[in-house]
Amino acid sequence: MATPKYKTSKASAASRKAANMRLAAPTLSQCGTCGNMVLPHRVCPKCGFYRGVQVIELQDK
Ligand SMILES: [Zn+2]
């Protein structure tokens, strides 16, 4: 197995770890019915529509 030639400094290791731990913002798409921003391939939580079809009935508040 290959062996590292030099010790990785604490700063280098920490910055690499920090870059890998960074959270990515979720991808959002727009609901075609109400315009709400929703996660792709999910039923819209605001209007209950998915691909133009009402798939869940929402309780009125
Ligand atoms: Zn919607």
Side-chain angles (χ1 to χ4, degrees), residues 30-38 43-50:
Q30 200 168 29
C31 173
T33 308
C34 70
N36 189 40
M37 297 309 281
V38 292
V43 176
C44 175
K46 200 173 171 187
C47 63
F49 275 67
Y50 182 68

Side-chain angles (χ1 to χ4, degrees), residues 33 42-45 47-58:
T33 308
R42 259 68 150 201
V43 176
C44 175
C47 63
F49 275 67
Y50 182 68
R51 295 182 68 190
V53 180
Q54 183 144 37
V55 288
I56 52 168
E57 289 289 335
L58 296 176

Side-chain angles (χ1 to χ4, degrees), residues 6-25:
Y6 301 104
K7 179 187 168 88
T8 305
S9 72
K10 284 178 190 171
S12 283
S15 78
R16 184 177 60 240
K17 282 179 188 173
N20 290 329
M21 282 191 291
R22 200 180 302 132
L23 292 175

